[in-house]
Amino acid sequence: MAALCRVRHRWKRTNCIQLLTRNLTGTFDYDLVVIGGGSGGLACSKEAAQLGQKVAVLDYVEPSVKGTKWGIGGTCVNVGCIPKKLMHQAALLGTALKDAQKYGWQITGPISHDWSTMAEAVQNHVRSLNWGHRRLFCFPEHWYEDVALECAGFLTGIGLETTVMVRSIPLRGFDQQMAGLVTDYMEAYGTKFSWRSVPKNSINLPSLSLNVSHNIEFLTVFSSVLTIGRAPETKTLGLEKVGVKLNKESGKILVAADESTSVPNIYAFGDIGEGRPELTPTAIKAGKLLARRLAGQTNELMNYDNVATTVFTPLEYGCVGLSEEEAESRHGKDSIEVYHAFYKPLEFTVAERDASQCYIKVVCKRGGDQRILGLHFTGPNAGEVTQGFAMGFQCGATLTHLKETVGIHPTCAEELTKVNVSKRSGLDATVTGC
C-alpha cells in the first residue's frame, strides 16, 4: 500500500535503512511512503525514487512461533514464488535422473535426496535477494490451493509420501477440466488425495508425528502444512480510523481503477486490493504505474485483464484469459468454440512417460476470425510457453492468427499453432505424427 502524504515525521539513515523518529517539524519530508516491502511496494518505491521523488519504505514481518523472520522482499522472495520454483526444480531433476537412464546414462547406486542441502541452497539464494533489495535502498538513483498442489508436487518429487486434503475443488478459479488433468497426473505421480476433507483437529504423538482427524478418518503424519491462503494484515494499521474502507469479510482494501482508496492520497495495490489478482507481476506493474501517475508522468492505468499465470505442479499448467466456464458464463455456450488437443512431448517418448494429461485448450469467440478468449496448456515448461502467447492477447489474438503462426519444431508450444479439432465436432483430438 502506498500513501502520498508529504510525511511530517523526521527520519534518519542508519546502515542504509530509513528509521522513523518522532521529531514533528510541521513540514513534509517525504513525497511518498510505501507500506510493505514486497514486490509491489519495492517496485513502486524504486520507480518513484528514479522519478525524483523522496521515498520511504516501511516493512515489518511478525516472527513465527519459532521466531522465523523474513528479509526484505515480501512473500514472493521469502516464502512464495522463488523458493517454490527452486524446490519444484529439485523435484524435476529427480524425475530427469530417472529419465536419464532410458537415454543411456549409467547411474549406479540408489538415488536419494538430501533436504538439508536443498534447503540451505534455497535459503542462501533468498538471502542474496534480500541483500540485493537492501543495497538498492542505499543507491536509489540507480505468487492458494495452487500453492497446496505445488507443495505436494515437489514433496512427492523428492521422495516424501504426501497426501493433499481437498476441502471442495482443486485450483479454485482455474479451468476445472485443466485442474482435473493436473490432479490426475499428480495421483499417477504418487501424490495421494483425500477429497472433500476438512481437518477437525490434530494431536501431537510421542513419535514427533501428528494424528490429523478429518471427516471420520485419521491420518498419522510427520508434518502438516496449512496451505489455505493468506489473510491481509490490515487490522493493526488503523485504516478504518482514518476512513479507509475495507471489505469486512476479506479484510482487503476497496480500490478504484487507479488504485485509489476512499481517502484522498492513500492508495492500495497488490494482494491487499480487493478483487486484484494475488500475483507478483501484477503488483510490480501496478506499483510502477502508480508511481508514474503520482509523479505526473502518465495517466495509464493497470490492465488486470488477460494476465497469464502458471501452476508449478509436477505437470505444469499455464493459462491466460478466460476458463471455459467463465467464457460460457459471459458469452453463452453457443457463442464460444473450444479447440483442443492431446499431445505427447517428445521428451516423454524415449523415457516412456505417460502423457495422457498433456493437453491444450483454446477457447474462442464463435464467428469471424474467432477472437481467442482463453488459452490453457498442461505440459513441460508451461510458464515459458504461456508467457509467449500472452502477448498476443494484448493485440487481440484470433484463431486465424494462431493458425497463421509457424511453429518451432520439435516443441510442445508448436502444438498450439496446430489446434484444429473443436469439442463441438466430437472428433478425436489426439495429435498423431511427429
Side-chain angles (χ1 to χ4, degrees):
M1 184 176 68
L4 180 71
C5 54
R6 303 283 181 183
V7 186
R8 285 184 289 182
H9 299 282
R10 186 61 75 178
W11 297 69
K12 64 182 179 180
R13 182 185 295 271
T14 303
N15 294 330
C16 304
I17 302 295
Q18 304 285 354
L19 301 177
L20 174 64
T21 63
R22 298 188 176 275
N23 177 21
L24 303 182
T25 64
T27 61
F28 295 112
D29 295 323
Y30 285 87
D31 300 302
L32 181 70
V33 169
V34 178
I35 302 174
S39 301
L42 293 175
C44 181
S45 60
K46 292 172 188 176
E47 188 74 12
Q50 289 174 350
L51 293 171
Q53 304 292 300
K54 198 169 184 181
V55 185
V57 177
L58 310 179
D59 187 61
Y60 174 74
V61 176
E62 188 73 31
S64 72
V65 175
K66 290 191 174 183
T68 303
K69 298 180 181 180
W70 298 354
I72 195 77
T75 299
C76 176
V77 167
N78 292 281
V79 294
C81 317
I82 300 302
K84 175 269 298 290
K85 182 71 181 293
L86 291 173
M87 288 187 278
H88 172 62
Q89 176 64 13
L92 292 181
L93 289 172
T95 301
L97 284 171
K98 296 174 185 175
D99 290 352
Q101 298 176 68
K102 293 290 183 80
Y103 279 90
W105 287 94
Q106 302 299 311
I107 299 175
T108 58
I111 299 172
S112 63
H113 179 269
D114 184 72
W115 176 274
S116 298
T117 300
M118 178 194 71
E120 183 179 0
V122 170
Q123 289 170 349
N124 285 342
H125 180 67
V126 168
R127 292 188 190 104
S128 74
L129 296 177
N130 297 149
W131 172 248
H133 285 310
R134 289 183 57 152
R135 185 174 177 275
L136 283 173
F137 285 132
C138 301
F139 306 101
E141 66 274 20
H142 288 292
W143 261 128
Y144 303 143
E145 277 163 332
D146 57 322
V147 175
L149 297 190
E150 289 172 332
C151 287
F154 71 67
L155 290 173
T156 302
I158 61 175
L160 301 178
E161 185 177 345
T162 308
T163 299
V164 181
M165 298 173 66
V166 184
R167 294 172 293 177
S168 54
I169 59 174
L171 298 178
R172 181 182 303 278
F174 288 86
D175 187 288
Q176 282 304 290
Q177 181 190 8
M178 308 302 293
L181 292 171
V182 167
T183 54
D184 286 349
Y185 185 92
M186 289 183 67
E187 287 187 297
Y189 185 72
T191 304
K192 298 177 182 178
F193 284 83
S194 179
W195 299 100
R196 303 286 178 183
S197 293
V198 178
K200 300 296 184 183
N201 57 56
S202 62
I203 304 169
N204 285 316
L205 300 178
S207 59
L208 297 179
S209 61
L210 294 172
N211 215 347
V212 182
S213 169
H214 66 104
N215 297 348
I216 58 173
E217 300 178 17
F218 283 88
L219 288 176
T220 301
V221 299
F222 181 76
S223 297
S224 61
V225 181
L226 296 178
T227 54
I228 53 176
R230 291 171 288 139
E233 291 281 359
T234 50
K235 291 182 180 179
T236 58
L237 291 177
L239 296 174
E240 291 175 306
K241 293 181 181 179
V242 296
V244 175
K245 293 182 179 179
L246 308 176
N247 179 317
K248 294 189 181 296
E249 185 175 339
S250 67
K252 293 190 174 187
I253 300 172
L254 300 179
V255 291
D258 64 350
E259 325 300 348
S260 61
T261 69
S262 53
V263 177
N265 295 334
I266 297 181
Y267 300 81
F269 59 93
D271 295 1
I272 202 72
E274 179 63 31
R276 300 303 194 221
E278 296 186 0
L279 297 170
T280 293
T282 53
I284 291 173
K285 189 165 182 62
K288 288 182 176 181
L289 286 173
L290 175 60
R292 293 170 194 166
R293 290 197 301 273
L294 295 178
Q297 298 294 310
T298 184
N299 292 319
E300 182 184 355
L301 299 177
M302 175 64 190
N303 178 9
Y304 289 99
D305 293 330
N306 296 324
V307 173
T309 189
T310 293
V311 183
F312 291 100
T313 38
L315 184 71
E316 297 178 6
Y317 165 35
C319 61
V320 57
L322 302 181
S323 66
E324 186 174 349
E325 295 92 340
E326 289 173 321
E328 284 188 9
S329 176
R330 293 191 191 187
H331 301 281
K333 190 168 186 176
D334 292 335
S335 297
I336 65 170
E337 198 74 73
V338 179
Y339 295 88
H340 65 151
F342 287 93
Y343 72 100
K344 187 161 190 174
L346 184 62
E347 301 93 321
F348 282 25
T349 55
V350 172
E352 299 178 333
R353 289 171 60 183
D354 179 25
S356 55
Q357 287 86 32
C358 292
Y359 181 70
I360 290 164
K361 179 193 289 190
V362 181
V363 184
C364 300
K365 190 83 169 66
R366 205 172 182 192
D369 285 339
Q370 297 187 281
R371 180 168 60 89
I372 300 176
L373 303 174
L375 186 149
H376 303 264
F377 175 96
T378 53
N381 306 304
E384 311 298 338
V385 172
T386 310
Q387 181 69 82
F389 286 98
M391 187 176 71
F393 276 70
Q394 305 303 319
C395 307
T398 67
L399 186 68
T400 300
H401 290 141
L402 199 59
K403 289 184 174 181
E404 289 177 348
T405 301
V406 178
I408 300 172
H409 186 70
T411 64
C412 296
E414 74 171 314
E415 301 300 339
L416 279 159
T417 69
K418 300 190 293 185
V419 289
N420 59 75
V421 177
S422 70
K423 279 190 173 183
R424 195 185 306 272
S425 73
L427 297 175
D428 183 6
T430 304
V431 174
T432 58
C434 67

